[in-house]
Amino acid sequence: MKILIVGNGGREHAIGWSLQKDSRVSELYFAPGNAGTARIGTNLDMAATDLDSIAAWAEAEQPDLTVVGPEAPLCLGLVDRLYELGLKAFGPDKQAAQLEGSKVFTKNLMNLAKIPTAESAAFTDAKPALEYVVTAELPLVVKADGLAAGKGVLICQTREEAAQAIHLIMQDRQFGDAGHQVLIEEFLDGQEASIHAVTDGTDLVFFSPSQDHKRIFDGDQGPNTGGMGAYAPAPAVDAELLESVTESVFKPLLAAFREKGIRYQGVLYGGLMLTAQGPKVLEFNARFGDPETQVLLPLLETPLLDILLATVNGALSSIDFKVKPQSAMTVVMASPGYPDQPRTGDIISGLDKVESEDQFLFHAGTSGSPDAPVTAGGRVLAVTGIGPTLHDARGQAYAGIGKISFPDAQYRKDIGHRAL
């Protein structure tokens, strides 16, 4: 089979790594890919958001399946374009991808389905938003409605901070068109958990519950990032809680989509806060998380290709979905200056020393030759370890980190601290 994977991060490398182990996969292409994906497939010189180029290539090359990794091409309608060409694509279409593309759309959908979530109010104009925060209970969370590369969520401890966040989003337009609407929510306290499911619109299968680490520094300090590491399974989500969330969150969400006449197929990724009142949804994503994918796929026992094909064919109920009875942890190595102004162009060494049956390396922000890559983004690499326990997985991950170097690399040394 010929497969195209859209994206250039650690998530896409992990998806390709999982698929290239399958004897049915004969050709792998990445648009645009990175230095790591170039080792297992062919990189195409086209951005993930260049829908015209990707559609033209797909029409000419006729891949058997396209897997869309990031949220931006999903929200732009890449899956729709491929459907129009008669091609199979894994991921929600443009209408369904509003789940991630519009926080207001998602909040309205959750309220319709009576899914537990934070109390909120939405505004299309700054003046009533500013008036709202004068009397709202603190702290508050101010969110840009649209896609903002994971940076459009601001936690505000004071009314002054909330007002500044509204100005930043709606008037200064720091996040561009994502700030045409703002969602102001109550602050939820507790542990976060990431629940990844795959659905064909009717049936659901669940990966191991995971937990990621958003803050740049140890002890959950410093600014938010796209994610500095993750582990699975997360002890905070046991089988009983997962069953409860399935019934109170995921099934009602699919029912609400069906009520609106929308078929949702692809990944349903629920970001939950485990509050004292029970689990509540912080957000939904319409694709695999990054870096969560780098722990979920190494733990997957069922061939990923079977899951992807069953999803697009509406036959997920036929899948015997299994995960390994092990733990996994991934640690992200980031460029100096990340997340604000990451430095790029640094030579990376030691990559050939990583990779064993318990240790895996995934490229994210890398470019250049597969044999001599350089840093090309904020999050550069993710090293994943697996083992019988989380402690064993942690040992493997950090042992791998210790073999790699590039100037002033930064990484957290306490990934998994909540569980360990």
Side-chain angles (χ1 to χ4, degrees):
M1 293 182 69
K2 179 191 293 187
I3 297 178
L4 170 65
I5 299 172
V6 178
N8 66 334
R11 166 183 48 227
E12 288 74 38
H13 189 190
I15 292 170
W17 168 85
S18 190
L19 290 173
Q20 59 93 28
K21 297 185 295 180
D22 197 310
S23 61
R24 293 169 291 178
V25 178
S26 56
E27 298 177 72
L28 266 182
Y29 293 88
F30 298 86
N34 56 44
T37 62
R39 298 183 72 92
I40 58 174
T42 302
N43 287 350
L44 305 174
D45 187 18
M46 54 187 72
T49 52
D50 185 356
L51 271 57
D52 289 340
S53 295
I54 294 173
W57 182 92
E59 185 174 24
E61 296 293 331
Q62 294 289 303
D64 297 291
L65 178 67
T66 297
V67 183
V68 186
E71 62 273 20
L74 290 171
C75 293
L76 288 171
L78 178 56
V79 168
D80 306 65
R81 295 282 295 271
L82 295 170
Y83 282 164
E84 289 165 7
L85 296 172
L87 297 171
K88 291 181 178 180
F90 177 85
D93 62 19
K94 185 176 182 177
Q95 191 178 25
Q98 289 181 89
L99 185 71
E100 183 162 2
S102 171
K103 295 178 179 65
V104 174
F105 169 86
T106 301
K107 184 65 71 170
N108 291 337
L109 196 66
M110 285 194 284
N111 290 336
L112 172 70
K114 295 181 171 54
I115 292 170
T117 184
E119 294 293 325
S120 66
F123 302 91
T124 56
D125 185 77
K127 187 173 184 292
L130 291 166
E131 291 171 350
Y132 177 82
V133 303
V134 171
T135 57
E137 186 175 341
L138 295 171
L140 290 167
V141 183
V142 182
K143 298 181 176 182
D145 176 59
L147 297 179
K151 298 176 182 177
V153 177
L154 304 170
I155 298 172
C156 306
Q157 302 293 337
T158 67
R159 303 191 195 285
E160 291 74 18
E161 288 179 1
Q164 289 170 4
I166 292 165
H167 283 298
L168 193 75
I169 293 171
M170 303 195 80
Q171 295 173 319
D172 297 345
R173 289 299 178 100
Q174 179 157 334
F175 307 113
D177 290 342
H180 76 287
Q181 276 194 101
V182 72
L183 188 70
I184 303 176
E185 291 185 342
E186 68 169 320
F187 176 80
L188 297 179
D189 193 26
Q191 277 201 70
E192 289 190 43
S194 302
I195 310 295
H196 284 71
V198 170
T199 180
D200 57 7
T202 303
D203 294 296
L204 291 153
V205 295
F206 287 88
F207 290 82
S208 299
S210 58
Q211 193 171 74
D212 75 341
H213 297 65
K214 290 294 187 190
R215 301 280 188 170
I216 185 71
F217 300 128
D218 287 2
D220 297 318
Q221 300 298 308
N224 273 331
T225 71
M228 293 299 293
Y231 63 95
V237 182
D238 58 19
E240 183 180 352
L241 183 57
L242 182 59
E243 178 62 28
S244 171
V245 168
T246 302
E247 297 299 325
S248 65
V249 174
F250 285 87
K251 287 184 178 179
L253 182 69
L254 284 183
F257 269 118
R258 288 194 293 269
E259 190 175 322
K260 286 182 170 289
I262 299 173
R263 179 191 173 228
Y264 190 105
Q265 66 91 11
V267 176
L268 269 179
Y269 161 17
L272 306 182
M273 184 67 79
L274 308 181
T275 75
Q277 295 76 41
K280 295 185 179 183
V281 177
L282 291 170
E283 63 177 1
F284 280 108
N285 293 314
R287 37 73 194 178
F288 282 114
D290 187 345
E292 290 95 336
T293 308
Q294 291 93 299
V295 293
L296 298 181
L297 295 189
L299 290 178
L300 185 61
E301 195 166 293
T302 304
L304 178 61
L305 184 59
D306 287 352
I307 298 166
L308 301 179
L309 291 175
T311 301
V312 299
N313 292 327
L316 202 55
S317 62
S318 67
I319 290 295
D320 183 18
F321 187 85
K322 293 181 179 178
V323 296
K324 298 173 183 175
Q326 292 181 291
S327 292
M329 179 182 291
T330 196
V331 180
V332 170
M333 297 185 76
S335 293
Y338 179 72
D340 297 323
Q341 293 182 309
R343 190 175 76 206
T344 60
D346 289 322
I347 295 172
I348 309 167
S349 60
L351 297 180
D352 57 333
K353 299 175 184 176
V354 182
E355 284 281 346
S356 70
E357 61 180 14
D358 301 317
Q359 198 177 78
F360 313 106
L361 173 67
F362 300 111
H363 287 240
T366 64
S367 64
S369 161
D371 298 318
V374 297
T375 62
R379 292 185 296 169
V380 178
L381 302 162
V383 179
T384 299
I386 63 171
T389 68
L390 188 58
H391 187 272
D392 296 320
R394 182 184 191 279
Q396 289 290 343
Y398 279 104
I401 288 284
K403 300 172 186 176
I404 302 168
S405 66
F406 55 87
D408 303 313
Q410 56 176 334
Y411 61 91
R412 283 186 55 164
K413 300 171 183 63
D414 67 342
I415 300 302
H417 69 88
R418 295 186 191 91
L420 293 170

